[in-house]
Amino acid sequence: GDEQATSVSTMAMYHAHRNVLAAASPKFRDIFASASTATASTPAAAAVSVVDVRDVSPRTFSLLLRYCYHGTASVSSPPQAMALLKAAHAYELTGLVEECERHLRDKLTVENVVVLLTVAHRLRGSASLLAVAATDFIVENYKAVSHTAPFKKLDRQLLASILDQVLL
């Protein structure tokens, strides 16, 4: 039923309701749908299952769960927002992705903007809120940003699109 409990493991164990996770995340919905199909012959096994979540720290996953239950994650730092952005993208939590992007957009600096642009572009493409804000920041602060180590390692396509805007 809708109240089936699920244990989620990330190196720590979390208990959550399948219906909450499935309603928030298409990825969890797919995981539970395939698990219920596989365990249809054993209903007792379907009542509680363990979902192994890899590549997400316990702290990041607890914020992801908070978002699933409460609709907000209360991100407090850029590194936390970056980790949560990646997890939210992986679990298709669009609202959380946008919350993380807004947080990171408000914390852009000469030192972090290229890394944030690269991640935003890789995850969501050039039209994402963070990618647009990071590109604008680089264009406005080109002289300072162009001397940073991450800028010197920037992907050629991203560099070309930035230079097109700088030269306008």
Side-chain angles (χ1 to χ4, degrees), residues 45-67:
V48 177
S49 62
V50 175
V51 176
D52 190 15
V53 175
R54 299 184 189 274
D55 301 326
V56 179
S57 74
R59 174 69 183 135
T60 299
F61 195 77
S62 69
L63 290 170
L64 190 138
L65 277 181
R66 178 183 171 85
Y67 179 82

Side-chain angles (χ1 to χ4, degrees), residues 2 5 11 29 36 50 87 90-91 117 120 129 137 143-144 162:
D2 285 341
M11 296 183 352
R29 190 168 34 254
S36 66
V50 175
Y91 285 90
L117 171 63
L129 171 74
F137 185 94
K143 188 171 184 175
I162 291 166

Side-chain angles (χ1 to χ4, degrees), residues 25-166:
S25 164
K27 179 81 169 187
F28 276 122
R29 190 168 34 254
D30 291 347
I31 290 169
F32 298 137
S34 63
S36 66
T37 301
T39 59
S41 61
T42 55
V48 177
S49 62
V50 175
V51 176
D52 190 15
V53 175
R54 299 184 189 274
D55 301 326
V56 179
S57 74
R59 174 69 183 135
T60 299
F61 195 77
S62 69
L63 290 170
L64 190 138
L65 277 181
R66 178 183 171 85
Y67 179 82
C68 290
Y69 275 87
H70 304 289
T72 186
S74 302
V75 179
S76 62
S77 70
Q80 185 182 71
M82 180 65 80
L84 191 55
L85 172 64
K86 291 174 183 176
H89 178 74
Y91 285 90
E92 303 173 27
L93 295 162
T94 305
L96 183 55
V97 167
E98 291 168 357
E99 183 177 333
C100 292
E101 285 191 343
R102 281 190 301 275
H103 179 85
L104 291 166
R105 176 198 63 201
D106 295 343
K107 306 288 188 214
L108 290 173
T109 66
V110 167
E111 294 77 25
N112 73 11
V113 68
V114 172
V115 172
L116 294 177
L117 171 63
T118 303
V119 170
H121 197 270
R122 184 170 27 94
L123 293 179
R124 300 192 63 205
S126 60
S128 75
L129 171 74
L130 183 56
V132 169
T135 300
D136 290 348
F137 185 94
I138 292 170
V139 169
E140 292 168 17
N141 300 280
Y142 182 77
K143 188 171 184 175
V145 173
S146 66
H147 294 300
T148 65
F151 185 85
K152 293 173 181 165
K153 298 175 187 171
L154 192 59
D155 173 81
R156 285 180 180 223
Q157 285 183 311
L158 280 175
L159 179 58
S161 70
I162 291 166
L163 290 176
D164 284 345
Q165 292 184 42
V166 168

